[in-house]
Amino acid sequence: MTEDYRSDFRREGPRRVGQVKEVTSLANPIVKDIKALSDKKTREETGTFMAEGLKLVIDALELGWKIRTLVYAKAAKGKPLVEQVAAKTVANGGLVLEVSEKVLSSITRRDNPQMVVGIFESRWTRLSDIRPENGQTFVALDRVRDPGNLGTIIRTADAAGASGVILVGECTDPFSLETVRATMGSIFATPLIRTSVEEFLSWQKHAGTELVATHLAGTVDYRRVDYSKKPVVILMGNEQSGLPENLAKSATRLVRIPQQGLADSLNLAVATAVMLFEARRHLLEI
């Protein structure tokens, strides 16, 4: 990352307040630094990530997320909502870039990109700050690896009214471009927690939750569980190997989703959605 822009990306570093830049070259160092956010190491070092789409950017700002850089296509210049978002970015000390479609396609890696992209500060919730209350539902994911699955689960958790998604062990990065796209903006509305297996098991002992895990050894139909007596944590295993023994043993209920047909399993995101909406069925109304 170039030195002249690095301070704009760092959480604690000074930012060049109120700047609006016009960029047309793919060789521009700022463009290169934004493109570098496709790399997890760069996202972690800078504490920032990329989100595409005007609606996502507006939603994020309304929910209080800190925007570092706003990028918009020249064709979007003058549109009222874009101008409003640009004004907010400048007022908050962020950088605004007006770029060519070629540059925007390069940044987003799309032939037909969204007209607006925002670079935001990442946000995590600490597991130790989570004190589950009755009526709350959390999703805990063990070593989820697929960005599309994780993004869809975050979106589903938001839709079902879950209180957060807990990432246990080595999981894919929720702030990757692929995952953020799959969340359809729910990344900004759903608390994210990352933790080790050991920390999760220790927290679970004192959290007072009903820990319901899907497992091949489960003997209880997932629909037969009473999800209303305690706060609930739905524990889902890795896409390929399922739950390891230590996590499975920690569950208060091991359940299965009954199936017919030739398919021997469900996609992780689909199975999580089935569990989530059943767990929250008594709380959801049309």
Side-chain angles (χ1 to χ4, degrees), residues 32-49:
K32 288 183 177 180
D33 287 341
I34 293 175
K35 288 176 65 178
L37 291 177
S38 61
D39 181 67
K40 181 180 179 180
K41 183 179 178 182
T42 301
R43 290 194 299 272
E44 291 181 344
E45 286 178 350
T46 62
T48 59
F49 69 100

Side-chain angles (χ1 to χ4, degrees), residues 159-177:
S163 297
V165 174
I166 303 170
L167 304 178
V168 183
E170 290 297 321
C171 293
T172 192
D173 184 9
F175 297 111
S176 72
L177 189 54

Side-chain angles (χ1 to χ4, degrees), residues 89-102:
T89 302
V90 170
N92 290 327
L95 188 65
V96 177
L97 304 180
E98 179 185 316
V99 303
S100 64
E101 288 192 17
K102 178 178 69 175

